Amino acid sequence: QVQLVESGGGLVQAGGSLRLSCAASGRIFRINAMGWDRQAPGKKRELVAAITSGGTPNYADSVKGRFTISRDNPKNTVYLQMNSLNPEDTSVYYCNARIRTNVWVANAYWGPGTQVTVSS
């Protein structure tokens, strides 16, 4: 089986920074795209950032210029550096990855989520 485990969430004041990490483990043949979603109470889940296996990033307009996604392929890990945080960034952040467990099968996986709370 495959597991994704996030870390790095917490409480921070507006204007502050946090760095999220997500490590994939288990029966992994290859990891394709990795990324981060978030969902605030009463709101739809939204894409925050994604990164291809080759390192090309993509960001939601709301986080461009403030968040940076990166990955360490040998460690099967994706990171999200979040700067200039504001209360609207308060959400549960979910790591996701498209993972091949063998040559023929690729599935999407999500972590359990990590809470990020930004106080004003």
Side-chain angles (χ1 to χ4, degrees):
Q1 297 297 325
V2 173
Q3 283 189 319
L4 299 179
V5 179
E6 303 102 337
S7 61
L11 174 64
V12 64
Q13 288 188 332
S17 298
L18 282 174
R19 188 191 194 209
L20 305 182
S21 300
C22 172
S25 62
R27 190 173 181 176
I28 297 171
F29 175 73
R30 178 178 177 176
I31 302 178
N32 294 334
M34 304 184 81
W36 294 90
D37 300 337
R38 68 185 181 185
Q39 187 167 22
K43 294 188 177 181
K44 293 182 179 179
R45 185 175 291 199
E46 62 174 348
L47 169 70
V48 175
I51 187 167
T52 67
S53 58
T56 300
N58 182 43
Y59 299 97
D61 288 342
S62 60
V63 306
K64 281 180 181 177
R66 300 188 298 123
F67 291 10
T68 302
I69 189 169
S70 61
R71 63 190 286 172
D72 185 332
N73 289 335
K75 294 183 178 180
N76 293 333
T77 299
V78 63
Y79 306 96
L80 186 67
Q81 177 66 44
M82 305 185 294
N83 299 329
S84 301
L85 286 161
N86 58 63
E88 289 69 39
D89 296 315
T90 296
S91 286
V92 178
Y93 284 71
Y94 299 92
C95 171
N96 63 78
R98 187 154 185 87
I99 297 175
R100 288 192 177 276
T101 53
N102 56 54
V103 175
W104 304 277
V105 179
N107 291 302
Y109 295 87
W110 281 265
T114 186
Q115 177 70 46
V116 171
T117 302
V118 185
S119 63
S120 57

